[in-house]
Amino acid sequence: MLSTLTIISIFTEIFAAGIMLGGGIGFLKQYFVARKNKDAILGFIFVNFFVYVAATIVSQMMFNSGFDLSQRIFVHKGIYLSLAVSAFLFWVFLIERFELKKLRLTNVVVALLSGWFIYCIAQSPVSLIYREGVSESIVSFASYLPLKPFFSLIVFALVVAAFLSALKNKQGQRVLAFYLAASAGLLLLALLFSYYYLCLAQASCLMLSWLCVLLSFVGFLLSELIPPTAPEAEHPLSFFRTRMLFKLILIFVLLVVILFETTTLATINISKQALSKSIFSGYSQMASNLAFNVRKLPAEQLPAGLQQLAQESRVGSGGLAYFVNDKGELIAHPDKKRALQRESMLANEAVRQILAGRAGNGQFKDELGDWVVGAYLPLKGIGGMVVQEPLFSAYAELRRLETNSLLFVIMGIILTSLVGIFFAHSIERPIKELIQGTEALACGNLKARVTVDSLDEMGKLAKAFNSMTKDLCESQERLVLSEKLASLGTMAAGMAHEIKNPLVSVRTFTQVLEQKWEDPEYRKKFSAIVPHEIERINRIAGSLLKFGRPMKPELSRVDLNTLLDEVLLLFESECKKNNVRVTKNLTSLPKVKGDAGQLQQVLVNIVKNAIEAMGQSGGELIVKSDVGQVIRLGRMQREGRKVGEEMVWGEERALDKPIQVVFVEVTDTGEGIAEENLKSLFDPFFTTKMTGTGMGLPITLRIVEEHNGSIKVRSQRGKGTTFIITLPYD
Ligand code: ADP
């Protein structure tokens, strides 16, 4: 018969197994995304422990269903094999997580020891020992295998390494390392409880052991799944609140487990009571049948007749019947020798009841102190008789019944959990897609679309989202055009002027061509100036044409210095008009792979803004270009922050390895950017100008990001602004 605590332990095991399997799949999935060895190792640890727990449940079920020892040995070997593999995997994890690759000798020792354990487990003959109160058999190998101490030692090493790393680190990393140390510590505690369970046969120890395993693996999940830089790293438990999926699965699975657990416990207990009552009355029936036979015996045949009855009686599969006299001594027993020796049975609870003149049935302790089930009956003139059977065989049927109902419940839990997880996923997936869509939109990607085709509210929301982004996209395209037209407008006036100057000189030269053609001095000047001026007109017209072209990306190798020259040429007269002095500080640059037209637009937007920021009073426009290496680049946090006197926009992320980049810096000595404006600088439609569109910088950012580059802005109120564009090259 299984105790209530044992049944609860089995449920905890199932829960732990679910977390291990889910966690294992999660880590393996993460490995395929981020390709970190640590994730693959953890994935295998989780899956391996799942095998351990699943095999333990199977072994318990097989034992309770009365499977043969030889059939169960295979499963028990599986349990021990997975423990040996886990020990090895934990060591590999320790080495990988804390970068201890220098411990070469220890690595070899651990690998050899694990291999040896695996070999011994596979080879060694095993015997299974059953102890009352322990719900599965204890494994005894032919020779002692210190596998559990070995496993504990490795887990202890993990506790120490994680603890030391927690002391060394700060913030999120520290908290996560503490969680890791605590999780490994809980695993050690689980081992301790399971040891006590085997020694004391207390179901509460078993339950505590599984509870520790469960909490330990939840801890491993949190400490290793949360990135150390994530905001949840400092409060790992809040991680569960960040994902809708966790909440849904947790609510669903917990509800299912609690519901199943309580109803199963209740039904099992009710049927157990009814069944045990009928088992007990079965023994009473047996006792009264025997008493009837005793009464039929003639007085002179009594001792021999009783002995025969004791020997012939069949009580269950492992029970017996015996007779005692009124002093509590054996007078007939299947083991004849014991009856001949008149062994005293006063230590047997049933015999003491007989001597007190009471008949009854139930569970009592025999003369050796072991629990048995049976019935007892005082017999007039003889003393009394007892029929008894050990708990193990007496409750075999009951246990089989419990196991069968538990199996149904386990299947039910697994099935409903799978259905729950499926539904939770189907609810979370569209939400996740919508979030990704809105995030992409917030980052300026108006091409973002959500592919949710369900007919429910989510599907409708997705449709509305898609049509909204489509509208936005169209209006943005119109705005881009108007932004371009605005830039063209600014440039056009100056350019007319720019084109006029060379045209005048060309005209003057050609007007006197006929008269002065014979003059060598004139011819020299003509051939030096006219082609140069025509080339200048050609370049201006070419740049203007390039700028006016629609934004269709065309990849080529672009020299940013040439682009800068062209842009500055376009703005030359604008600069002159506004008293802007241009200083060029260009370094020869490698060519960048990109779209020349788009990159030109980036420079036009930034130079135009710089000139406008200096207003009528003018100032200095410094344009620099350079090459170098960076270890930080890319996606930026979209908010400004104060660094000393300056406001800085653009927080780059660290790269795995340094990459080659070119820099273009445009500095003006204009009005600078107000602190409160810095965070919205790149937001679409943000403008502080009367005639501004607010689209110049968002377009600039999008183009630069599409070229895998980044933009940084430094600004000081009243002193000026610098835009730094970083673009990678091969
Ligand atoms: P627009 O130029 O049409 O206003 P932008 O997106 O190009 O749109 O610029 C947005 C805002 O950013 C400008 O209105 C201005 O307030 C600010 N800004 C951009 N560049 C500079 C600069 N160099 N100095 C000061 N403010 C700037």
Side-chain angles (χ1 to χ4, degrees):
M1 192 154 59
L2 300 175
S3 74
T4 306
L5 283 179
T6 312
I7 295 175
I8 294 179
S9 307
I10 293 176
F11 283 118
T12 321
E13 272 173 75
I14 301 171
F15 209 45
I19 286 188
M20 282 162 196
L21 191 64
I25 294 171
F27 279 120
L28 289 176
K29 254 176 149 179
Q30 181 140 313
Y31 169 74
F32 286 110
V33 176
R35 295 275 166 191
K36 278 194 189 149
N37 291 345
K38 184 198 79 165
D39 292 331
I41 302 166
L42 271 169
F44 286 126
I45 291 182
F46 270 66
V47 172
N48 189 62
F49 250 91
F50 166 75
V51 173
Y52 176 85
V53 182
T56 310
I57 300 174
V58 169
S59 124
Q60 287 174 359
M61 295 297 153
M62 284 173 89
F63 170 71
N64 291 325
S65 308
F67 270 78
D68 210 48
L69 275 187
S70 58
Q71 288 166 304
R72 279 163 37 219
I73 282 171
F74 175 71
V75 180
H76 275 279
K77 278 197 173 183
I79 295 176
Y80 273 75
L81 277 175
S82 61
L83 201 64
V85 176
S86 294
F88 177 68
L89 286 175
F90 263 121
W91 180 261
V92 180
F93 170 69
L94 182 76
I95 300 295
E96 186 67 30
R97 171 76 161 75
F98 300 104
E99 289 161 7
L100 303 172
K101 289 192 181 97
K102 277 187 221 132
L103 293 172
R104 283 215 188 97
L105 189 68
T106 331
N107 289 349
V108 174
V109 172
V110 172
L112 285 177
L113 267 175
S114 310
W116 179 68
F117 279 127
I118 292 172
Y119 171 78
C120 287
I121 295 163
Q123 289 292 312
S124 170
V126 176
S127 52
L128 301 179
I129 306 160
Y130 172 69
R131 271 208 35 220
E132 195 56 63
V134 177
S135 63
E136 60 175 281
S137 17
I138 300 163
V139 182
S140 165
F141 287 95
S143 55
Y144 172 64
L145 275 188
L147 181 59
K148 283 188 177 165
F150 173 68
F151 180 81
S152 315
L153 212 67
I154 288 180
V155 178
F156 182 68
L158 184 61
V159 175
V160 175
F163 191 72
L164 290 179
S165 135
L167 292 185
K168 261 197 279 165
N169 284 310
K170 285 209 176 76
Q171 292 168 332
Q173 255 172 341
R174 160 178 283 214
V175 181
L176 292 179
F178 268 130
Y179 261 66
L180 183 63
S183 312
L186 274 169
L187 205 56
L188 283 182
L189 204 64
L191 279 171
L192 192 73
F193 278 127
S194 88
Y195 172 75
Y196 278 125
Y197 167 62
L198 293 181
C199 293
L200 309 173
Q202 289 289 328
S204 54
C205 294
L206 179 69
M207 206 200 74
L208 285 173
S209 166
W210 282 116
L211 202 66
C212 288
V213 171
L214 179 73
L215 293 178
S216 157
F217 274 80
V218 171
F220 280 129
L221 255 180
L222 289 177
S223 63
E224 294 305 312
L225 213 57
I226 302 175
T229 46
E232 309 93 67
E234 290 191 39
H235 307 282
L237 280 177
S238 66
F239 184 62
F240 288 119
R241 281 190 271 142
T242 59
R243 288 278 306 269
M244 188 112 168
L245 182 74
F246 290 137
K247 286 186 197 172
L248 288 172
I249 293 182
L250 215 69
I251 293 171
F252 194 83
V253 174
L254 267 180
L255 266 180
V256 165
V257 172
I258 291 171
L259 203 80
F260 270 94
E261 195 167 328
T262 40
T263 44
T264 324
L265 277 177
T267 35
I268 285 184
N269 274 332
I270 293 167
S271 50
K272 217 149 71 175
Q273 273 169 14
L275 259 167
S276 47
K277 254 188 210 152
S278 81
I279 290 175
F280 296 158
S281 59
Y283 290 116
S284 291
Q285 188 61 47
M286 232 180 277
S288 28
N289 288 350
L290 266 176
F292 179 71
N293 290 340
V294 171
R295 261 177 245 119
K296 281 200 297 192
L297 288 174
E300 64 282 5
Q301 277 179 20
L302 208 54
L306 286 181
Q307 182 57 36
Q308 198 182 352
L309 277 176
Q311 274 175 335
E312 282 171 3
S313 307
R314 291 277 155 268
V315 182
S317 56
L320 45 87
Y322 55 85
F323 296 87
V324 289
N325 60 18
D326 50 10
K327 290 196 204 95
E329 292 164 347
L330 268 183
I331 47 170
H333 191 275
D335 183 356
K336 202 171 175 184
K337 256 191 273 162
R338 288 178 69 181
L340 287 174
Q341 284 166 356
R342 286 276 186 274
E343 192 181 310
S344 167
M345 297 293 276
L346 285 175
N348 189 309
E349 269 178 29
V351 175
R352 286 204 300 274
Q353 294 291 339
I354 291 171
L355 297 189
R358 281 192 287 267
N361 59 26
Q363 208 168 296
F364 52 88
K365 277 190 174 165
D366 69 2
E367 61 283 6
L368 298 174
D370 289 333
W371 280 104
V372 289
V373 187
Y376 40 89
L377 196 68
L379 294 172
K380 244 194 213 149
I382 298 174
M385 60 163 299
V386 180
V387 281
Q388 66 178 52
E389 196 179 351
L391 283 191
F392 178 60
S393 59
Y395 288 142
E397 263 318 304
L398 194 58
R399 228 180 16 247
R400 205 162 297 153
L401 185 101
E402 281 173 343
T403 311
N404 282 346
S405 36
L406 262 183
L407 268 176
F408 272 113
V409 171
I410 290 173
M411 299 286 282
I413 289 183
I414 292 173
L415 269 178
T416 37
S417 300
L418 285 179
V419 172
I421 290 168
F422 172 78
F423 275 117
H425 259 295
S426 66
I427 294 174
E428 198 221 29
R429 197 176 44 80
I431 294 177
K432 224 165 136 185
E433 275 207 35
L434 271 167
I435 291 172
Q436 277 167 357
T438 37
E439 272 172 3
L441 194 66
C443 294
N445 176 13
L446 296 187
K447 298 257 168 352
R449 293 287 179 278
V450 181
T451 50
V452 178
D453 41 19
S454 58
L455 295 173
D456 57 10
E457 289 81 351
M458 283 295 163
K460 283 181 196 154
L461 202 60
K463 246 189 205 157
F465 177 88
N466 285 342
S467 79
M468 186 183 80
T469 43
K470 194 168 155 254
D471 290 351
L472 260 176
C473 201
E474 282 166 10
S475 50
Q476 198 217 29
E477 269 161 23
R478 280 198 293 276
L479 264 164
V480 170
L481 208 64
S482 61
E483 166 68 22
K484 258 190 170 178
L485 285 176
S487 304
L488 271 174
T490 317
M491 287 183 283
M495 286 189 46
H497 193 73
E498 280 304 302
I499 292 175
K500 208 174 148 213
N501 284 345
L503 268 181
V504 168
S505 57
V506 171
R507 193 184 61 191
T508 322
F509 266 103
T510 44
Q511 271 171 352
V512 289
L513 180 74
E514 243 174 86
Q515 303 131 34
K516 288 204 166 188
W517 184 244
E518 299 305 322
D519 180 355
E521 184 71 11
Y522 168 81
R523 284 216 303 270
K524 203 171 153 202
K525 266 191 180 171
F526 185 93
S527 49
I529 296 171
V530 171
H532 179 259
E533 294 297 276
I534 290 177
E535 175 53 30
R536 192 170 153 81
I537 297 171
N538 188 34
R539 266 172 52 208
I540 294 172
S543 303
L544 204 60
L545 268 177
K546 206 192 276 179
F547 189 73
R549 255 201 334 248
M551 291 239 305
K552 218 200 262 159
E554 258 174 43
L555 286 187
S556 62
R557 302 216 155 258
V558 186
D559 180 8
L560 284 175
N561 281 343
T562 316
L563 271 192
L564 266 174
D565 276 335
E566 280 177 12
V567 170
L568 290 176
L569 180 67
L570 291 173
F571 282 102
E572 207 170 273
S573 60
E574 187 70 18
C575 287
K576 267 186 225 153
K577 201 176 86 191
N578 289 318
N579 300 319
V580 173
R581 207 169 55 254
V582 179
T583 310
K584 279 201 274 182
N585 194 350
L586 307 183
T587 313
S588 148
L589 298 179
K591 288 188 173 163
V592 171
K593 204 167 148 199
D595 180 278
Q598 289 188 351
L599 289 174
Q600 189 196 33
Q601 194 181 350
V602 165
L603 298 175
V604 164
N605 288 346
I606 288 175
V607 169
K608 179 175 151 274
N609 278 344
I611 297 170
E612 283 172 357
M614 291 185 273
Q616 294 296 321
S617 48
E620 190 175 7
L621 177 75
I622 309 163
V623 182
K624 269 202 236 169
S625 68
D626 210 345
V627 275
Q629 267 195 347
V630 288
I631 51 160
R632 305 182 74 83
L633 186 77
R635 211 79 253 129
M636 290 154 283
Q637 246 173 35
R638 276 143 207 283
E639 54 187 52
R641 67 188 161 92
K642 216 172 167 106
V643 179
E645 279 295 288
E646 279 183 341
M647 285 302 299
V648 178
W649 190 97
E651 194 69 44
E652 294 139 323
R653 75 176 156 77
L655 300 167
D656 290 342
K657 55 177 196 295
I659 57 162
Q660 308 288 335
V661 291
V662 296
F663 301 100
V664 173
E665 248 183 67
V666 179
T667 306
D668 64 68
T669 52
E671 57 184 5
I673 301 166
E675 197 177 323
E676 66 274 15
N677 288 347
L678 201 76
K679 66 173 186 307
S680 351
L681 206 60
F682 288 84
D683 290 351
F685 317 120
F686 172 77
T687 181
T688 54
K689 298 169 196 164
M690 290 292 280
T691 52
T693 59
M695 284 307 290
L697 288 183
I699 294 170
T700 302
L701 179 65
R702 201 191 71 204
I703 296 174
V704 172
E705 286 187 339
E706 275 171 6
H707 284 77
N708 298 322
S710 68
I711 301 182
K712 205 166 192 154
V713 186
R714 297 174 181 281
S715 185
Q716 222 172 318
R717 197 85 176 109
K719 290 205 174 153
T721 306
T722 303
F723 276 78
I724 307 161
I725 299 166
T726 312
L727 288 168
Y729 68 90
D730 297 333

